[in-house]
Amino acid sequence: PSVCHPFLAFKKFLNKMLTFFCLRTEKLTCVNAIFPAILYNCGERKEDAMHIQDCLEEILHLEDTDLAASLADASRLFSCKKRQLVAKPDACSDWIPFLVSGVIRGYLTDEKGRDITDCFLYRPGEAVLSLSILTASFPINFEAVTDCVLVSIPTQLLAEQFQQSAELQQLYSSYLLEKLKRERELKLLLGISSAMERYQWFLRRYPELADVVSIKHIASFLCMSPVSLSRLRGQLRKRGEEPPVKQSRLSEKSGLF
């Protein structure tokens, strides 16, 4: 009997993602359609494209300068203020935003209108996307927790370059594997761990965010009430086990790639 090679299974997964990029762009709205605070705009000045190229090479760790130049020529760099919506699921967009700096929270809304935190993005190079795009619905909204800078790349161009660039395929597969690993880790944690264990895991996994993200949103992410989380933090402080974290450490992370 034939055995399915793991790479073939992963290739099918990548093809599914590529199909999303090419055929389901109506599911995304990114920052350029909502808050067009353009810092550098493609096609207006040569130095703008060069600045975006430097940015892409840094946050995505691209070694192919021709690839970076091709993406930069069609991309835009944006700023987004704290608490502004970065991406939402109910309108059309042809752009995929990538984080340059700042912190973004992904959340969905339940039938009672309450938002539930799904993920945090804070490392340069992270795409403002959720793995829920592989399902029939895409209910995730993304808002800025802090002031942010993002670079938006045209979806169609990204799909075309993905077909041709081995480097981009490798970067993308590494990104998806990391996303899958983190989502599985969180799912297992929420299923078998106590509230204290969940919060201690958060401090280990996201030490940069402990004093940047609100208690309400951290509690939602860890499936507990803000009151319960406040009590846990108080217990850890009394035991001297909750280390102080400075927001400036956010800029020291190198990203997924």
Side-chain angles (χ1 to χ4, degrees):
S2 61
V3 179
C4 179
H5 195 279
F7 177 76
L8 295 179
F10 186 67
K11 186 176 180 181
K12 291 181 180 179
F13 179 74
L14 288 180
N15 287 337
K16 190 172 183 180
M17 292 298 293
L18 186 59
T19 299
F20 163 77
F21 279 153
C22 296
L23 302 179
R24 298 188 59 189
T25 56
E26 77 280 355
K27 290 294 185 179
L28 289 172
T29 295
C30 69
V31 65
N32 69 297
I34 307 172
F35 302 107
I38 300 174
L39 301 178
Y40 294 92
N41 193 10
C42 58
E44 293 186 352
R45 297 185 305 167
K46 183 178 180 180
E47 54 265 37
D48 287 355
M50 292 178 64
H51 183 92
I52 295 175
Q53 179 177 343
D54 291 341
C55 178
L56 289 174
E57 290 177 356
E58 180 178 353
I59 67 171
L60 300 182
H61 296 181
L62 291 175
E63 297 180 0
D64 186 339
T65 56
D66 290 337
L67 171 62
S70 175
L71 296 175
D73 284 342
S75 299
R76 296 176 181 177
L77 197 65
F78 294 92
S79 65
C80 192
K81 293 295 184 181
K82 180 179 179 179
R83 286 192 286 273
Q84 284 188 334
L85 200 61
V86 178
K88 62 180 182 178
D90 60 355
C92 177
S93 174
D94 296 323
W95 302 79
I96 301 293
F98 292 82
L99 185 65
V100 177
S101 65
V103 180
I104 291 174
R105 179 178 73 99
Y107 68 95
L108 52 87
T109 305
D110 65 15
E111 64 279 0
K112 296 182 179 180
R114 297 171 299 191
D115 70 72
I116 302 170
T117 301
D118 175 75
C119 61
F120 295 107
L121 308 177
Y122 66 99
R123 293 180 293 177
E126 289 194 278
V128 186
L129 292 172
S130 169
L131 288 184
S132 62
I133 60 177
L134 295 176
T135 65
S137 61
F138 181 72
I140 305 299
N141 296 277
F142 291 92
E143 71 168 5
V145 175
T146 65
D147 290 351
C148 297
V149 174
L150 304 99
V151 58
S152 288
I153 303 175
T155 305
Q156 185 60 41
L157 175 61
L158 204 56
E160 292 171 357
Q161 293 292 345
F162 181 84
Q163 294 277 29
Q164 304 170 13
S165 171
E167 181 183 12
L168 194 58
Q169 291 172 16
Q170 179 59 46
L171 291 173
Y172 190 57
S173 62
S174 298
Y175 175 79
L176 289 179
L177 286 173
E178 178 69 12
K179 279 280 190 180
L180 288 169
K181 176 182 176 182
R182 283 177 175 266
E183 292 221 355
R184 175 174 172 78
E185 181 181 12
L186 179 60
K187 183 175 290 186
L188 290 174
L189 181 85
L190 296 178
I192 64 176
S193 301
S194 67
M196 178 63 83
E197 289 170 337
R198 276 177 266 158
Y199 182 55
Q200 289 175 323
W201 168 86
F202 180 86
L203 293 176
R204 293 192 303 269
R205 173 60 80 177
Y206 302 100
E208 297 86 352
L209 305 185
D211 65 347
V212 176
V213 179
S214 70
I215 290 180
K216 173 185 175 181
H217 294 149
I218 295 175
S220 174
F221 182 61
L222 297 175
C223 293
M224 65 179 74
S225 71
V227 173
S228 296
L229 180 55
S230 294
R231 290 172 180 165
L232 294 177
R233 295 182 71 167
Q235 293 175 22
L236 290 178
R237 278 194 295 270
K238 289 180 180 179
R239 287 151 46 178
E241 296 180 14
E242 188 176 31
V245 182
K246 295 182 179 180
Q247 185 171 349
S248 59
R249 290 178 57 188
L250 288 169
S251 61
E252 300 172 8
K253 297 297 288 186
S254 60
L256 280 175
F257 302 121

